[in-house]
Amino acid sequence: MGKMNVMKRVPEIIAILMKHGFTGYLKELGLAEKIPFHKRTLPSEDEHLSVKGEELRRAFEELGPTFMKFGQFLSTRTDLLSPGWTEPLAKLQSEAPLIDFEQIKEIIESEMQQPLSELFVYMDETPLGAASIGQVHRAVLVTGESVAVKVRRPHVERVIHQDIRILRQLAAVAEKNSETARIFSVKETIQEFSASLLNEMNYRLEAAEALSVKEQMENEQIHIPDVYLDYTTERILTMEYVEGKKLTAEHIEELDQGTRQTLAVALAESVLEQVYIKGVFHADPHPGNVVLLQDDRLALIDFGNTGRLTKPMKQLLADCLFSLNDRDSASLSIAVQSLGHNREVNSQALERDLDKWMNQYLDRKLEDVKMGTMFQQLFGLAAVHGIRVPKEFIQVGQAFLKVEQTISALDPAVSFSRIIKDTANRLMLDQLDPKRLFKEARSFTRQIKMAASRLPGVMNETLQQWEGGQPKMQIRIDPDENMMKRVERIAYMLVLSIMMLAFSIIMAGIFIGMKVSGDNSLLSNTNSYQIAIYTAILMTILFSVTIYLMWRKKR
């Protein structure tokens, strides 16, 4: 997509958002300069406050696949947005028009460099499903395996890359002009969304994530489909076709109570093991991504949304769980602050708010609490105090929220929170395991030794610098917003003063020159006076326009 298409697309995006009532929000986010001049009248306060998630959902549906994916992404960011925004956005569906089978065939043959008949014995021309990025067809490999083949839509990457580039540009403008945009870290949010969407478009990455989950899966009640890497490229994903039933109420009722309970517990334990033990997890285990197999097992499908946790992340998540279990607001405050932050945090205020928040659950057992909702609330509270929660933890909260929905559908009597409490107890005992403590002690000793071995060299270098009279000291000053505004105001006043002086000198020069030239000068005739006046008017207009642009920039 060229620059001309981008120039057309930006006004289109702004116009659609304005049509759905978001003029006030665009201004609040510092994007007033993108609004046509004749449409910049402020909406009423009631209109500004009444426009929320439902209108944004309709706007994103009109804007196309990139923005529908953006809406789905925002629906998971309960740390940034209230339920009034996230719940309507969660209803966005990625349904899309069907792609003609001839195009599908052409893409597969181009990617695989082989005729379709040499790859598959059979491929159903009617798709199993079509979404905004890909379309899925059932097929049978020449080796006899029944597979599901997902093919990326033709040309969708061009549209998505263009929209991502525009979103990044708008985010940069917003953070430059708006304190609200900086508080919400709009640039970082867009960057996270861009990375997530570009990863989702690369089917090799999805195949790798599915294999990672499959390799660490030890629960016999949970099946992960096989991945056929020889038939997978960046644009094509080939996985085992899962023969089974959707997890609907009708199909669940066909199971006996014991099977339903076994499957609910198995799914809960599987997700918790993925998160807390293995560190690689399916982040979207809602009922639509769980299939009931003929042998009364469950299969997880669609690995476009998976998460990975490092060892420190798993430990931090476990610390949050321990603190919640013990109702320990002081420890929870320390753990939450360790998540990271984008502005100074008032530790006492955070601990006080955490204590108030946990008081809601004092008269309730942990097993009676919805853990997914609890984590969502915790991350939202952290965001209020300027703590930027990493996307991996947001994914954990979403995974817990979705798996609770699935477990409740299977057997409402099974408590995910009770199972997670049992997991917390096992984790605590695991941390006290002598082998683990000995291993951590060895690691700590090794790090101390490495630091100590560097200490003499650092001290010697520092002493040499002081003896030579050239000590080095680095001081970093992060100016706050008020300081920057004062500096900008001084700069504007200085520029304006220089312009006024230059304007005065030029105008004085013109009229003095006319006077000094005398009556015999060419400047004494009427036309010359008119030229001088026109010049003065032109200079006045240019001066006024410059002042207006400076005033607009300050806004």
Side-chain angles (χ1 to χ4, degrees):
M1 295 285 180
K3 289 185 178 180
M4 187 60 67
N5 288 326
V6 172
M7 291 174 64
K8 292 179 181 178
R9 181 63 168 158
V10 173
E12 178 187 0
I13 292 169
I14 298 298
I16 290 174
L17 289 172
M18 291 176 63
K19 183 178 80 172
H20 289 275
F22 288 94
T23 304
Y25 285 107
L26 289 172
K27 292 181 177 181
E28 188 175 338
L29 287 173
L31 298 175
E33 62 189 66
K34 302 295 181 181
I35 302 174
F37 185 79
H38 62 286
K39 295 183 178 180
R40 292 183 186 175
T41 54
L42 281 170
S44 67
E45 185 176 349
D46 291 341
E47 179 187 354
H48 184 280
L49 295 176
S50 64
V51 178
K52 283 203 173 180
E54 193 60 41
E55 290 79 8
L56 189 59
R57 180 183 65 81
R58 289 196 289 267
F60 281 174
E61 286 176 340
E62 190 172 344
L63 284 167
T66 309
F67 285 85
M68 291 176 68
K69 286 291 183 183
F70 187 39
Q72 292 172 350
F73 173 81
L74 289 177
S75 73
T76 68
R77 297 311 302 258
T78 52
D79 58 319
L80 299 177
L81 301 174
S82 66
W85 293 95
T86 58
E87 290 175 3
L89 291 176
K91 299 175 185 176
L92 279 168
Q93 300 295 322
S94 297
E95 296 176 357
L98 300 182
I99 310 167
D100 184 73
F101 183 73
E102 285 302 315
Q103 288 183 284
I104 295 291
K105 178 181 177 182
E106 183 179 327
I107 292 171
I108 293 175
E109 292 182 338
S110 173
E111 286 290 303
M112 300 301 299
Q113 295 294 300
Q114 283 182 267
L116 195 70
S117 59
E118 294 182 9
L119 298 167
F120 305 104
V121 174
Y122 163 79
M123 175 172 272
D124 193 344
E125 295 188 9
T126 303
L128 295 170
S132 56
I133 293 181
Q135 183 164 296
V136 183
H137 289 259
R138 186 174 182 180
V140 178
L141 297 175
V142 291
T143 50
E145 295 91 346
S146 182
V147 296
V149 183
K150 182 158 65 171
V151 182
R152 194 168 73 195
R153 303 181 76 87
H155 314 304
V156 70
E157 61 271 14
R158 288 191 293 175
V159 175
I160 287 176
H161 280 293
Q162 173 192 256
D163 284 345
I164 285 176
R165 187 162 60 248
I166 290 171
L167 283 171
R168 285 172 173 166
Q169 292 173 357
L170 294 177
V173 173
E175 286 210 1
K176 182 180 179 182
N177 296 337
S178 168
E179 176 66 17
T180 301
R182 288 189 287 273
I183 290 174
F184 281 91
S185 302
V186 172
K187 284 174 64 175
E188 188 175 346
T189 301
I190 294 297
Q191 186 58 38
E192 288 181 3
F193 163 68
S194 303
S196 172
L197 183 55
L198 294 176
N199 286 344
E200 187 178 345
M201 289 194 354
N202 187 343
Y203 290 155
R204 288 190 190 276
L205 295 178
E206 183 174 342
E209 294 298 281
L211 283 173
S212 295
V213 175
K214 184 177 181 64
E215 288 171 359
Q216 54 86 30
M217 180 61 65
E218 297 178 356
N219 195 314
E220 295 181 356
Q221 293 292 329
I222 308 297
H223 175 68
I224 307 297
D226 290 326
V227 180
Y228 295 90
L229 293 178
D230 291 340
Y231 296 85
T232 295
T233 69
E234 188 175 324
R235 300 179 68 190
I236 302 171
L237 174 62
T238 304
M239 297 186 69
E240 170 193 354
Y241 176 74
V242 177
E243 191 80 51
K245 301 175 182 178
K246 293 184 177 180
L247 209 60
T248 61
E250 179 183 356
H251 292 145
I252 291 173
E253 288 176 359
E254 296 173 359
L255 302 172
D256 61 76
Q257 180 59 36
T259 302
R260 292 166 60 176
Q261 182 180 10
T262 299
L263 293 178
V265 172
L267 182 60
E269 290 178 344
S270 171
V271 170
L272 290 172
E273 183 180 18
Q274 292 174 47
V275 170
Y276 284 103
I277 308 299
K278 305 299 184 180
V280 183
F281 61 97
H282 192 303
D284 198 20
H286 63 77
N289 283 338
V290 182
V291 177
L292 180 62
L293 302 179
Q294 294 177 345
D295 58 359
D296 288 345
R297 293 188 301 150
L298 296 177
L300 291 175
I301 61 173
D302 192 354
F303 293 84
N305 184 6
T306 56
R308 284 182 176 270
L309 299 172
T310 62
K311 186 177 179 181
M313 285 180 172
K314 289 190 292 182
Q315 182 60 54
L316 187 55
L317 197 61
D319 290 338
C320 287
L321 186 58
F322 299 150
S323 301
L324 285 170
N325 188 39
D326 295 337
R327 307 296 200 273
D328 184 352
S329 59
S331 297
L332 185 59
S333 175
I334 295 172
V336 167
Q337 289 184 68
S338 300
L339 296 175
H341 51 82
N342 57 356
R343 65 178 190 267
E344 188 175 349
V345 177
N346 186 328
S347 301
Q348 291 182 339
L350 174 61
E351 184 177 338
R352 185 170 58 250
D353 287 348
L354 286 171
D355 194 55
K356 290 179 182 177
W357 171 69
M358 284 197 293
N359 282 339
Q360 304 174 55
Y361 303 100
L362 284 178
D363 58 343
R364 300 164 64 184
K365 295 181 180 180
L366 190 61
E367 53 263 33
D368 297 329
V369 175
K370 292 290 186 182
M371 287 303 298
T373 303
M374 198 172 187
F375 269 97
Q376 300 278 336
Q377 293 174 349
L378 175 63
F379 295 152
L381 185 59
V384 169
H385 286 269
I387 297 170
R388 179 76 180 186
V389 181
K391 65 180 181 64
E392 291 84 359
F393 291 103
I394 299 297
Q395 287 179 302
V396 170
Q398 282 295 309
F400 287 174
L401 199 65
K402 300 295 177 61
V403 79
E404 281 182 314
Q405 295 173 3
T406 308
I407 290 169
S408 179
L410 281 166
D411 186 358
V414 173
S415 170
F416 179 68
S417 297
R418 183 173 62 249
I419 297 172
I420 204 173
K421 183 178 181 181
D422 295 339
T423 300
N425 293 332
R426 289 200 304 270
L427 287 171
M428 181 66 78
L429 290 174
D430 182 57
Q431 291 194 353
L432 297 175
D433 182 71
K435 291 183 179 179
R436 175 169 179 166
L437 292 174
F438 180 68
K439 184 178 179 181
E440 290 180 351
R442 281 197 311 173
S443 176
F444 180 74
T445 304
R446 186 162 49 248
Q447 292 177 44
I448 291 292
K449 181 181 176 182
M450 292 169 64
S453 65
R454 293 182 58 229
L455 187 58
V458 173
M459 292 181 64
N460 185 50
E461 183 180 349
T462 303
L463 288 172
Q464 288 178 354
Q465 290 176 358
W466 280 95
E467 288 174 354
Q470 295 178 336
K472 294 180 180 179
M473 182 178 294
Q474 292 183 342
I475 300 177
R476 177 179 173 180
I477 300 176
D478 293 324
D480 60 15
E481 184 65 19
N482 291 330
M483 182 188 297
M484 293 305 297
K485 286 182 177 179
R486 287 195 296 271
V487 172
E488 286 183 2
R489 196 154 46 239
I490 293 171
Y492 286 138
M493 293 175 63
L494 182 61
V495 172
L496 186 60
S497 301
I498 294 173
M499 289 183 60
M500 290 181 67
L501 179 61
F503 177 73
S504 303
I505 293 173
I506 292 172
M507 295 305 300
I510 290 174
F511 288 105
I512 290 173
M514 291 173 56
K515 185 69 176 176
V516 170
S517 298
D519 295 337
N520 295 327
S521 171
L522 293 174
L523 290 174
S524 62
N525 60 51
T526 305
N527 290 335
S528 297
Y529 278 108
Q530 289 178 347
I531 291 172
I533 292 172
Y534 291 153
T535 302
I537 293 173
L538 179 61
M539 292 292 295
T540 304
I541 292 172
L542 291 174
F543 181 67
S544 301
V545 169
T546 303
I547 292 176
Y548 167 73
L549 291 175
M550 291 174 61
W551 169 79
R552 180 181 170 188
K553 182 70 175 176
K554 287 178 68 176
R555 291 187 65 195

